[in-house]
Amino acid sequence: MSLLKLDNCTKMFGGLKAVSGVSLEVEPNRLIGVIGPNGAGKTTVFNLITGVYEPTSGSILLEGRSIVGRSPSQIAGLGIARTFQNIRLFPTLSVLDNIRVACQLRSKTTIVDAIVRTGRFFSEEEALTERAFRLLGLFGLERYAEWTSTSLPYGEQRRLEMARALATEPKVLLLDEPAAGMNPQEKDDLRALIVRLRDEFKVAILLIEHDMEVVMGICEYLYVLDYGEIISQGEPAAVRKDPKVIEAYLGEPV
């Protein structure tokens, strides 16, 4: 059974159809790519999945249950986390606290525990901090733990955002252009890291990316969007040869 499934999703903004009849599936532990020219509707699809927008029509199912109409926080609690095309860290918090905030999503202590400072509160805070440091270590960020998040180099901010998303213990991780602004060495490291995350955390990954070397190097299946519609889908080797895909990128028939 599909872990995440979009069925004939459409999103209208007034008279503008940003996404039209999009259907896609993400199976457990798979690494799926969504590609297409600028303005094709890729980030709108992510916003539909995460509850930022509600589809005008169509359905979105997580493990067979509809998530349409739920808030972004509720959807995160159900197991979908994301990064953003434009980095959205908590700018006044430290690198460590950016991760700790995300870990709190799975916290079992109550506000009473926090106010009274119960033993359960302190033990869970210690466990969350240990988990946050483990994630920082995985992403090579432990030396920046006390830095303000926005003082990190750009590539490290990208990694921090991925670590924060992973701290929510998602079943599906959505990565919106994680390689944007990275140099070639950083992109090579990122490709290896994404595959490692999928394998170690047993998480399905849905990836938007413009860098074709990244996409073709790690994705097992691709969906291609153009003007809000899926124009091609399949394994990367087949998609890259599809005349409709070449036309969408080059602007003329092959």
Side-chain angles (χ1 to χ4, degrees), residues 48-51 53-55 60 66-72 74-75:
L48 291 172
I49 294 171
T50 54
Y53 302 144
E54 188 171 331
I60 304 174
S66 175
I67 58 174
V68 172
R70 294 183 179 269
S71 68
Q74 289 173 327
I75 291 172

Side-chain angles (χ1 to χ4, degrees), residues 8-29:
N8 201 30
C9 282
T10 295
K11 178 59 183 176
M12 302 286 295
F13 294 101
L16 173 66
K17 188 178 289 187
V19 170
S20 179
V22 167
S23 297
L24 62 81
E25 298 186 38
V26 179
E27 297 172 345
N29 207 38

Side-chain angles (χ1 to χ4, degrees), residues 89-94 98 148-150:
L89 298 171
F90 299 115
T92 61
L93 296 183
S94 69
N98 264 267
T148 303
S149 63
T150 51

Side-chain angles (χ1 to χ4, degrees), residues 58-120:
S59 63
I60 304 174
L61 305 177
L62 178 65
E63 296 182 308
R65 296 181 298 171
S66 175
I67 58 174
V68 172
R70 294 183 179 269
S71 68
S73 61
Q74 289 173 327
I75 291 172
L78 291 172
I80 297 179
R82 71 174 295 181
T83 64
F84 295 87
Q85 185 176 359
N86 299 313
I87 298 173
R88 297 184 186 179
L89 298 171
F90 299 115
T92 61
L93 296 183
S94 69
V95 168
L96 177 62
D97 283 343
N98 264 267
I99 304 296
R100 280 166 44 86
V101 166
C103 289
Q104 290 287 342
L105 182 66
R106 305 298 174 191
S107 174
K108 295 186 171 53
T109 55
T110 67
I111 187 146
V112 174
D113 290 317
I115 293 172
V116 178
R117 291 292 200 266
T118 63
R120 182 169 67 170

